[in-house]
Amino acid sequence: MILPDGNFDVPSGKIATVVTHLEMIELPAIPSDPAGAWTLRRVETPALDWYRELFRRVGEEWLWISRARMSDARLTAIIHSPLVEVYALEHEGRGEGLLELDFREAGQCELGFFGVTAKLIGSGAGRWMMNRALELSWSRPIERFWVHTCTHDHPSAVAFYQRSGFRAFRRQIEIEDDPRLDGTAPRDAARHVPVIE
């Protein structure tokens, strides 16, 4: 379906976002690591409470809601899959970043979730973790590494992925219920996205 140019109303209680899909088809040159006291720990079978708490701390400001709305059974099936790898970026003894690599589609790796908590934004931890993501993903026999992000995410997300070697290949508009109206996210989350009831 081709949409005409113009503005379109988003119903009250809904949010709209532009989703950008990016990919790479070969391992790019990996930038040098920034200095920092970070470690990356693989979590083999993440406890749901642990996973959701880190997911919330990393993504709440950017309206990461998919896993918050997911049933226990469905979330367990994903993050306990032998083809999904969950990592925590640790700083000062605490998980402060989430990296999820999804190899469930043959020949591909999806960067399912990637981000650091607010206290580490701008510290270089994201670049350091992306370097590890590039090494880990391309250590497997894949032909494509891809990710999607949206306009609710950090304003530098697309540029960061492009600097990491990803190329944009698809754009979509997503409309869904505002998670701040049903309690999935706190009312004061994502102040850059106004609530319209």
Side-chain angles (χ1 to χ4, degrees):
M1 177 172 102
I2 297 177
L3 292 174
D5 291 348
N7 296 322
F8 302 91
D9 287 339
V10 175
S12 297
K14 300 280 190 178
I15 53 174
T17 182
V18 176
V19 179
T20 301
H21 299 256
L22 303 103
E23 67 182 354
M24 61 176 66
I25 56 171
E26 62 184 1
L27 176 64
I30 296 178
S32 42
D33 278 336
W38 311 293
T39 59
L40 193 65
R41 177 176 65 91
R42 182 163 181 196
V43 184
E44 294 284 344
T45 51
L48 294 185
D49 289 344
W50 172 87
Y51 180 90
R52 284 188 172 125
E53 191 268 339
L54 183 56
F55 182 87
R56 181 195 58 75
R57 287 192 304 113
V58 170
E60 186 171 84
E61 184 58 23
W62 316 113
L63 292 181
W64 287 13
I65 56 170
S66 60
R67 299 289 171 83
R69 288 182 168 161
M70 200 173 277
S71 71
D72 288 356
R74 185 161 174 231
L75 179 57
T76 299
I78 294 169
I79 65 175
H80 290 182
S81 167
L83 297 175
V84 174
E85 298 178 4
V86 175
Y87 296 87
L89 179 138
E90 296 187 339
H91 178 69
E92 298 176 347
R94 185 173 189 206
E96 298 291 348
L98 178 63
L99 167 62
E100 188 174 313
L101 301 174
D102 186 339
F103 294 95
R104 290 179 294 170
E105 191 166 337
Q108 298 191 43
C109 178
E110 178 184 2
L111 183 58
F113 288 95
F114 177 91
V116 298
T117 59
K119 79 182 237 179
L120 291 186
I121 291 175
S123 70
R127 165 54 49 214
W128 184 88
M129 190 167 66
M130 177 56 76
N131 289 354
R132 305 295 76 76
L134 291 168
E135 292 166 351
L136 288 163
S137 62
W138 288 101
S139 71
R140 305 278 285 273
I142 64 168
E143 299 166 0
R144 178 179 182 249
F145 187 29
W146 71 281
V147 63
H148 68 270
T149 188
C150 73
T151 49
H152 291 164
D153 209 344
H154 190 283
S156 300
V158 169
F160 174 82
Y161 289 129
Q162 289 175 320
R163 284 193 310 275
S164 300
F166 290 93
R167 177 192 62 80
F169 71 93
R170 182 180 185 192
R171 188 174 297 124
Q172 296 176 300
I173 304 271
E174 181 179 29
I175 297 175
E176 61 190 330
D177 291 338
D178 190 326
R180 298 163 298 181
L181 296 177
D182 67 11
T184 303
R187 182 70 180 218
D188 62 350
R191 293 176 190 223
H192 62 290
V193 181
V195 175
I196 300 176
E197 295 188 65

